[in-house]
Amino acid sequence: MLSLKQISKYYSSGGAKTYVLNRVDLDVDQGEFVSIMGPSGSGKSTLLNIIGMLDQPSEGYQYFLNEPVHQLKDKQRSALYKQNIGFVFQAYHLIDELTVYENIETPLLYQDVKSAERKALVADILDRFNIVGKKDLFPEQLSGGQQQLVGIARALISKPKLILADEPTGNLNSKQGEEIMELFKKLNKEDGVTVIQVTHSEKNAQYGSRIINLLDGKIDSSIIL
Amino acid sequence: MLKNYIKTAWRNLWKGRVFNLLNLVGLAVAIACCTLIFLTVFYEFTYDRFHTKLDNIYQIYTVSNRAEGAEVTSSVPEPLTPALKAEYPAVKYMTRSADAGALIKYGNKELDENLHFVDEDFLKMFTFPLIEGNKNNVLSGLNNVVITQATAKALFGEEPALNKTVLLNINNVQQPFIVSGILEDISRHSSIEFDLLVRFEHYPNYAANINAWENRTHIAMIEFNNGYDPASFTSQLTPFVKKHFAPSIEILKKDGAKPNEKGDIFWLDIAPFSNNHFATNLGGVEGNPVNKTYPVSLIVIGCFILIIACINFINLSVARGFTRSREVGVRKTLGASKGQLLIQFWIETIMVCLASMVVGLLLCMALINQFKAIFKSRISLSMLLDPVTLFGIIILFLLVTAIAGFYPALMMVRYKTVAVLKGNTASTKPGKLRNTLLVVQFSLSTLLIICTIITWQQINYLQNKPLGYNKTEVLSIPVSGGLIGEKALKLMRNELKNHAEVASVTGAYMNMGRGNDGSSRSSILGFNFGDKEIRTHIQRVDYDYLKTLDIKLLEGREFNPDFAGDSTAVIINETMARQLGTKNVLGSFVPMYDSVAKVQVVGIVKDYNFRSLHEDIAPLTLTMDKHYEINYIFVKVKPGNLVASYDAIKKSWNRQYPNTEFEGSWINENTERQYLNERRLSGIFVSGAVIAIVISCIGLLAISIMIVLQRTKEIGIRKVLGSSVGGIVLLLSMDFVKLVLLASVIAFPIAWWLMNNWLQSFAYRITIQWWVFALATLLAILLAFITISFQSVKAALANPVKSLRSE
């Protein structure tokens, strides 16, 4: 599904290059559930951002669904991720001014989905996540776990092939965390959505099918569970 | 989609309501001011536009290239108009024009009306539509009179007015006239104002002047043939001038006039009538022209306010954008394109602008009456519905939203998604643009403060400068409404003799300052004395003139009824004595009138400012010559109760003249009236400065809120490290104070140049002092500091634990 070849990301400061990622090779297949682990500063989030095309590598080749991402223009890149990737953040990043319903609806607006279809899709997902009763609430009126649930619903609304989750349970208590992880597992198993998550927690990493350990910008180990 | 945008925009605006309210108030105030200002400007610039042939109409004027500079006057001799019409086929129509007050009588009704003496062509040139009568022949009869609808109504009521015979009293001669036409009432937007039109042949002394090329008594307007380019008309007039004005040119030559680069000493020129409302330099036009400086400075100030408000808007939106950066990032990950984001933020801008517009126009409605009173403006809000203004407003609105909305929106859209999601935007350095804009804002504000102080100083100086005569205890009464000055003076003198509070009574040809009658006169006489030409202002006075006005007599004596020869004697001022130049001026005989005997100088008075302080004291001759009328009666009262004295004098006037309004006013009121324009300008500056400062400070306040938000962590750390509250306030304020200081320095030379130019229009003026600049700067800094302090003190006092924990 996606393939990174010799991907590097560095910042030059005063002539010296500081590598965040150093010649990383990574292939992820359709239907995998990959957990990226590693200490702070090892480059996990950067790697995830590059995969999600929010950030661009300094060097290397990147393919997504057989498209050479490194050759695409800004517009094409954003069209590509807009249709295929859903993001889930540690800090949820819901839009405070929008209700639950509107937050979930937003990606569809940007994809020019028709009003009637939008309504059906949002209603469907609200139902599936059991948050119909909360649809008119604003994010600040929800608990952290509920907010993340909305975050995931929003990521899923446009039926992405890939979900990228940056420490999705980082701000949640363990019970809420477990529920979210169960949800990811279910999505992966039942809907065949590819999931890549960054996590600190050994326990959460176990939900996946593969664990990649990063250290100082390099892949230290890759374990298939 | 649009609905969604508006919904989110509304919620966002509501969320930042304090901020947006500041923004809205600033913009609304600016819109209100600009609406009033631009309406006034529009009004001034559209004067006389209702004349359909406006662009073909010109006023003729003369230029004499005197030794002391070119002298422009629009007064022309009577034979000029017929001669030009006869000799130049390009002249399609031409009319002479002069005005006077006249009494019109029908039955037992009598009205004091404004009369215009014109030629037949007048109504063919100017667009004054006739309700009754035919414009081609209404003035064909010598004794025809054309009246306005209002006059017709006042005089005839519901009776038909056409072809009725009325009695007109012009210059104390009563004659019957036939009403041959009725005009629609004249727009208030017209320079030419009159109630009655009669043929120019009725102008006083018409017959005597019919061939007198030297006597310039009235103004004249030309309409050229359609398609004629009048650019070359002036040069075509050269032979005409040579032929008819030779004696005038001779006199000028003797007088030391020099030819200009084209070799002309005296020439005729034309000025477009479309500029009539601003023609203050032609030396006499129709109506009361205004100096173009005022509408122009209004435009400038309006633009200043608009610029300052736009800058505010930009700064506020950019500042607010920082808090929105996360939203931008999220929306981008959700697939928003730049265009979509741009539109979203722009819609917010448009909503704020629209709201500001509504509030601004409401504000405008609330303020319009005061504005009209202060600035003597005749605008009305219905002018907003005029297609031209409406179009202008829409353009302005789009411009403001485009400038003020686009840049901040672009800024926000450009945020780096990843950085923003990590919460990294707050650390960006305050933009150069923001600082530049702040400097511009405060430069404009300081500029206006300096202008305010200097105009105020100058007006104060004008008011307090001793003029060389008593202006507080002397009442000046215009003799109007067809009364004969001499008779009125005699009556009043007798009447007031018995009043204990009256010190003395006299009369004069010229007023001091500008009285309630609004008119101003001056008469200049030139004569040959020895080998040079002497020019002097003439003031016809009566006995006790010097005594009444407390003018200091240096040598000789005042006019005295005991001396029989005083009707041919003169009293001159120092400047005149200097100009005559001979020793023993006192007692000498001067050939002031070429025809009659020489007049004797019986007294010399100390120079006094008989004209406004715009001008130097000119040579002046006081005479009792009966050829000049008495137009004003001066009454000096004893100090004490001026109000009671005024009432007493008014009562005696009304006893004498129950039908003529008492228009007396104290001379200091009259002299102040000479500086109405300056007061108006100063009013404009003060209001401009206040509004500019208020809007700038609103902007500064909002930015300081933003800065404090951005630097919360830094402030916390500094406090933990032991910084005092004062230290932190200073730290936060210093950046801005520096900017304001820089802004002031930029404003100095501009303000100095502007004000120096303005002061040049006064013969008597203050010198610009350095402390004015210091004061203005201090004021700006103080205001900026106070504004910022609201936020910085709060931030400095906050508990650092809180701010650090929130990271």
Side-chain angles (χ1 to χ4, degrees):
Chain A
M1 166 170 229
L2 69 92
S3 168
L4 304 181
K5 303 264 182 256
Q6 296 289 301
I7 289 288
S8 291
K9 177 83 181 173
Y10 54 79
Y11 299 97
S12 333
S13 52
K17 286 176 182 172
T18 315
Y19 278 89
V20 185
L21 290 176
N22 198 345
R23 294 164 189 276
V24 173
D25 289 311
L26 178 68
D27 287 281
V28 178
D29 292 330
Q30 184 94 38
E32 271 196 282
F33 188 158
V34 181
S35 304
I36 301 173
M37 296 193 70
S40 290
S42 59
K44 307 182 295 284
S45 293
T46 308
L47 182 63
L48 199 72
N49 286 334
I50 287 176
I51 293 171
M53 294 172 245
L54 297 179
D55 208 351
Q56 280 163 274
S58 313
E59 283 167 5
Y61 308 101
Q62 179 183 6
Y63 301 89
F64 183 79
L65 296 173
N66 300 322
E67 297 264 9
V69 177
H70 52 274
Q71 286 173 359
L72 295 180
K73 289 189 190 121
D74 253 4
K75 234 184 186 155
Q76 296 166 308
R77 236 195 326 259
S78 71
L80 195 61
Y81 77 66
K82 170 157 109 176
Q83 280 158 22
N84 298 304
I85 302 177
F87 295 90
V88 177
F89 305 95
Q90 174 179 5
Y92 330 128
H93 285 332
L94 300 178
I95 297 172
D96 297 336
E97 288 75 32
L98 301 182
T99 61
V100 166
Y101 183 96
E102 288 157 355
N103 258 296
I104 296 172
E105 187 191 23
T106 304
L108 298 178
L109 287 173
Y110 288 129
Q111 289 175 30
D112 294 329
V113 178
K114 294 235 163 45
S115 166
E117 199 183 341
R118 278 206 308 267
K119 261 187 198 152
L121 285 169
V122 178
D124 194 38
I125 211 152
L126 284 170
D127 194 33
R128 197 167 136 207
F129 281 57
N130 257 330
I131 46 177
V132 177
K134 307 230 165 13
K135 74 177 169 60
D136 291 326
L137 298 182
F138 286 94
E140 58 185 17
Q141 295 167 295
L142 302 175
S143 73
Q146 288 165 334
Q147 283 191 50
Q148 194 59 296
L149 213 56
V150 176
I152 295 167
R154 185 178 66 179
L156 287 172
I157 190 75
S158 53
K159 300 211 162 57
K161 297 194 173 65
L162 173 65
I163 293 253
L164 297 177
D166 193 349
E167 299 197 42
T169 60
N171 284 9
L172 303 177
N173 63 34
S174 56
K175 186 170 171 285
Q176 290 169 330
E178 265 172 44
E179 283 168 17
I180 295 295
M181 287 320 294
E182 283 299 338
L183 182 60
F184 277 129
K185 196 169 176 178
K186 197 173 142 207
L187 286 170
N188 180 247
K189 284 262 144 42
E190 293 174 12
D191 299 293
V193 179
T194 313
V195 179
I196 303 177
Q197 68 159 341
V198 164
T199 182
H200 272 300
S201 144
E202 197 68 49
K203 195 177 142 212
N204 287 347
Q206 301 296 327
Y207 283 90
S209 58
R210 174 151 66 126
I211 296 173
I212 291 169
N213 275 301
L214 276 185
L215 190 64
D216 296 336
K218 289 183 174 157
I219 292 179
D220 191 47
S221 64
S222 176
I223 306 153
I224 296 176
L225 296 172
Chain B
M1 200 70 171
L2 193 71
K3 199 178 120 206
N4 194 275
Y5 282 154
I6 291 173
K7 197 160 60 184
T8 37
W10 168 246
R11 284 184 196 149
N12 267 311
L13 293 175
W14 180 248
K15 197 175 162 208
R17 54 190 172 273
V18 177
F19 223 74
N20 288 313
L21 201 67
L22 288 176
N23 212 343
L24 190 142
V25 168
L27 200 58
V29 170
I31 286 173
C33 296
C34 288
T35 308
L36 293 174
I37 286 175
F38 290 140
L39 278 184
T40 307
V41 172
F42 181 73
Y43 182 85
E44 297 289 352
F45 276 98
T46 51
Y47 240 80
D48 296 323
R49 286 300 123 112
F50 60 89
H51 296 299
T52 49
K53 296 194 279 188
L54 186 65
D55 292 332
N56 269 343
I57 300 175
Y58 291 78
Q59 180 170 355
I60 193 148
Y61 65 93
T62 69
V63 187
S64 315
N65 210 30
R66 289 182 181 280
E68 59 270 23
E71 188 184 83
V72 173
T73 167
S74 56
S75 288
V76 291
E78 267 176 32
L80 177 82
T81 300
L84 267 182
K85 255 189 105 167
E87 294 175 36
Y88 289 87
V91 176
K92 186 178 180 192
Y93 296 124
M94 188 159 177
T95 179
R96 294 168 284 196
S97 171
D99 61 355
L103 284 174
I104 183 167
K105 208 168 160 186
Y106 176 74
N108 49 12
K109 258 193 206 156
E110 199 175 59
L111 299 172
D112 189 357
E113 298 282 45
N114 183 352
L115 172 72
H116 245 58
F117 303 96
V118 296
D119 283 313
E120 238 192 302
D121 286 350
F122 181 81
L123 284 176
K124 296 176 195 157
M125 295 166 64
F126 297 101
T127 311
F128 293 114
L130 277 161
I131 299 171
E132 291 177 66
N134 179 347
K135 80 170 173 186
N136 292 316
N137 62 20
V138 272
L139 284 173
S140 56
L142 202 55
N143 273 17
N144 284 1
V145 60
V146 177
I147 64 179
T148 59
Q149 200 176 13
T151 308
K153 192 138 196 227
L155 207 58
F156 300 99
E158 297 306 318
E159 270 184 72
L162 205 63
N163 298 326
K164 290 268 161 58
T165 303
V166 294
L167 286 173
L168 269 182
N169 184 339
I170 304 166
N171 212 29
N172 299 315
V173 183
Q174 204 166 50
Q175 271 181 284
F177 280 81
I178 294 164
V179 177
S180 59
I182 294 155
L183 291 172
E184 274 178 27
D185 282 334
I186 292 163
S187 151
R188 299 179 81 190
H189 223 144
S190 172
S191 294
I192 306 176
E193 284 179 304
F194 57 85
D195 305 307
L196 315 169
L197 286 180
V198 297
R199 288 274 294 249
F200 193 78
E201 283 80 352
H202 295 286
Y203 190 53
N205 299 328
Y206 173 79
N209 286 326
I210 200 154
N211 285 312
W213 285 89
E214 283 72 45
N215 273 356
R216 307 197 197 136
T217 53
H218 61 277
I219 57 175
M221 265 83 67
I222 299 173
E223 183 189 327
F224 289 109
N225 282 327
N226 248 344
Y228 175 76
D229 178 17
S232 60
F233 189 65
T234 310
S235 49
Q236 285 176 31
L237 283 173
T238 312
F240 182 86
V241 171
K242 283 218 174 88
K243 185 166 143 199
H244 296 292
F245 288 93
S248 300
I249 295 173
E250 274 315 302
I251 292 170
L252 279 168
K253 261 188 200 157
K254 260 202 299 191
D255 208 9
K258 292 183 205 82
N260 71 351
E261 59 270 20
K262 279 194 272 174
D264 292 329
I265 286 178
F266 174 90
W267 63 94
L268 291 172
D269 208 341
I270 49 171
F273 186 75
S274 54
N275 194 42
N276 183 78
H277 188 56
F278 301 117
T280 47
N281 52 355
L282 278 191
V285 292
E286 293 280 2
N288 300 311
V290 300
N291 195 322
K292 219 172 190 165
T293 320
Y294 301 103
V296 168
S297 50
L298 274 176
I299 294 182
V300 169
I301 290 195
C303 290
F304 275 14
I305 291 174
L306 211 59
I307 290 170
I308 289 176
C310 280
I311 287 178
N312 244 12
F313 203 95
I314 294 173
N315 273 343
L316 287 170
S317 310
V318 170
R320 174 125 181 83
F322 283 116
T323 60
R324 304 278 301 278
S325 53
R326 198 183 62 111
E327 183 191 334
V328 176
V330 173
R331 282 188 186 272
K332 276 189 180 171
T333 63
L334 298 181
S337 70
K338 281 186 182 173
Q340 285 167 320
L341 285 172
L342 220 60
I343 290 172
Q344 188 198 334
F345 290 122
W346 211 340
I347 283 177
E348 281 179 36
T349 305
I350 288 173
M351 282 171 72
V352 175
C353 285
L354 261 180
S356 306
M357 192 101 171
V358 172
V359 174
L361 288 180
L362 288 175
L363 208 61
C364 190
M365 271 185 226
L367 293 177
I368 192 162
N369 285 329
Q370 273 135 304
F371 177 85
K372 276 158 76 176
I374 294 171
F375 295 108
K376 304 266 176 294
S377 184
R378 288 200 270 183
I379 55 168
S380 69
L381 278 179
S382 57
M383 281 166 68
L384 284 176
L385 299 175
D386 183 283
V388 180
T389 24
L390 210 58
F391 186 70
I393 288 172
I394 292 168
I395 293 288
L396 201 68
F397 179 78
L398 289 178
L399 207 70
V400 169
T401 44
I403 297 171
F406 192 74
Y407 176 76
L410 203 65
M411 276 282 292
M412 283 196 251
V413 170
R414 281 201 186 139
Y415 290 137
K416 285 255 181 301
T417 318
V418 176
V420 162
L421 290 178
K422 280 184 190 155
N424 276 353
T425 42
S427 60
T428 44
K429 276 266 161 210
K432 269 192 195 132
L433 182 95
R434 193 199 66 197
N435 288 349
T436 315
L437 293 179
L438 269 180
V439 168
V440 172
Q441 260 186 334
F442 273 88
S443 289
L444 297 179
S445 304
T446 317
L447 181 71
L448 290 174
I449 297 178
I450 296 173
C451 292
T452 304
I453 299 176
I454 291 176
T455 42
W456 180 80
Q457 272 185 310
Q458 173 68 13
I459 289 173
N460 211 30
Y461 170 82
L462 293 177
Q463 256 168 28
N464 295 328
K465 185 179 184 318
L467 298 176
Y469 58 87
N470 187 337
K471 57 178 178 176
T472 48
E473 288 148 11
V474 181
L475 196 61
S476 145
I477 310 166
V479 184
S480 57
L483 300 180
I484 297 167
E486 201 122 358
K487 230 166 86 189
L489 175 62
K490 209 177 229 169
L491 269 172
M492 285 306 283
R493 211 177 235 152
N494 275 332
E495 169 81 24
L496 294 173
K497 210 158 50 188
N498 310 321
H499 285 257
E501 68 271 16
V502 173
S504 68
V505 181
T506 189
Y509 174 78
M510 283 194 284
N511 203 353
M512 290 294 199
R514 194 167 272 232
N516 280 337
D517 57 337
S519 48
S520 70
R521 282 184 179 75
S522 71
S523 176
I524 298 177
L525 184 79
F527 61 92
N528 293 315
F529 182 68
D531 52 353
K532 57 187 170 184
E533 202 207 3
I534 303 278
R535 285 161 60 78
T536 172
H537 281 257
I538 297 285
Q539 165 74 309
R540 149 81 152 108
V541 299
D542 207 80
Y543 296 116
D544 290 341
Y545 184 73
L546 303 185
K547 183 181 156 199
T548 307
L549 284 153
D550 286 337
I551 294 165
K552 207 173 158 203
L553 188 66
L554 292 176
E555 289 179 66
R557 60 175 177 83
E558 193 176 347
F559 295 123
N560 191 323
D562 298 341
F563 289 80
D566 270 3
S567 59
T568 56
V570 295
I571 297 172
I572 59 174
N573 71 354
E574 285 173 284
T575 313
M576 178 65 181
R578 262 199 306 279
Q579 200 191 14
L580 289 171
T582 51
K583 283 171 199 163
N584 305 321
V585 174
L586 188 71
S588 66
F589 285 86
V590 183
M592 279 187 49
Y593 307 99
D594 297 333
S595 49
V596 294
K598 293 181 176 186
V599 293
Q600 190 185 15
V601 177
V602 296
I604 299 175
V605 294
K606 200 169 164 28
D607 276 343
Y608 64 95
N609 289 94
F610 63 96
R611 294 186 296 172
S612 87
L613 292 171
H614 283 284
E615 285 147 306
D616 267 318
I617 296 173
L620 176 70
T621 304
L622 306 181
T623 158
M624 298 254 294
D625 187 347
K626 299 254 193 276
H627 287 99
Y628 298 93
E629 291 161 49
I630 296 280
N631 294 308
Y632 299 92
I633 296 171
F634 293 125
V635 182
K636 182 164 124 188
V637 301
K638 294 189 176 127
N641 196 342
L642 293 181
V643 179
S645 306
Y646 180 91
D647 289 341
I649 293 167
K650 184 176 177 181
K651 223 176 258 167
S652 5
W653 172 274
N654 285 340
R655 208 162 29 239
Q656 296 295 334
Y657 298 108
N659 292 324
T660 311
E661 200 193 340
F662 178 75
E663 293 182 301
S665 55
W666 300 103
I667 288 185
N668 58 358
E669 292 170 14
N670 291 1
T671 49
E672 275 179 32
R673 219 167 274 147
Q674 290 177 314
Y675 309 116
L676 272 184
N677 276 340
E678 284 69 28
R679 278 179 188 288
R680 209 172 143 193
L681 186 69
S682 131
I684 293 170
F685 279 144
V686 174
S687 344
V690 169
I691 289 157
I693 284 282
V694 167
I695 300 177
S696 301
C697 282
I698 289 176
L700 200 57
L701 178 68
I703 285 176
S704 64
I705 294 175
M706 227 42 244
I707 292 289
V708 166
L709 269 180
Q710 282 176 22
R711 294 175 78 170
T712 311
K713 187 175 157 197
E714 180 195 341
I715 295 165
I717 294 169
R718 281 180 190 272
K719 269 197 101 174
V720 170
L721 295 178
S723 173
S724 69
V725 171
I728 286 172
V729 171
L730 209 62
L731 171 86
L732 291 170
S733 311
M734 242 10 242
D735 287 346
F736 291 108
V737 169
K738 273 186 215 153
L739 290 178
V740 174
L741 212 59
L742 176 67
S744 302
V745 172
I746 292 172
F748 289 164
I750 304 169
W752 184 85
W753 181 80
L754 271 177
M755 285 291 99
N756 199 41
N757 270 353
W758 179 69
L759 286 173
Q760 296 306 316
S761 67
F762 296 90
Y764 297 86
R765 55 182 178 256
I766 53 159
T767 44
I768 300 176
Q769 276 144 329
W770 66 270
W771 62 260
V772 172
F773 297 92
L775 183 70
T777 312
L778 207 67
L779 205 66
I781 288 180
L782 197 71
L783 285 170
F785 189 78
I786 292 171
T787 311
I788 299 159
S789 297
F790 282 118
Q791 283 309 306
S792 55
V793 169
K794 209 165 91 186
L797 289 173
N799 186 350
V801 177
K802 238 182 194 165
S803 63
L804 289 180
R805 193 175 49 199
S806 74
E807 263 302 298

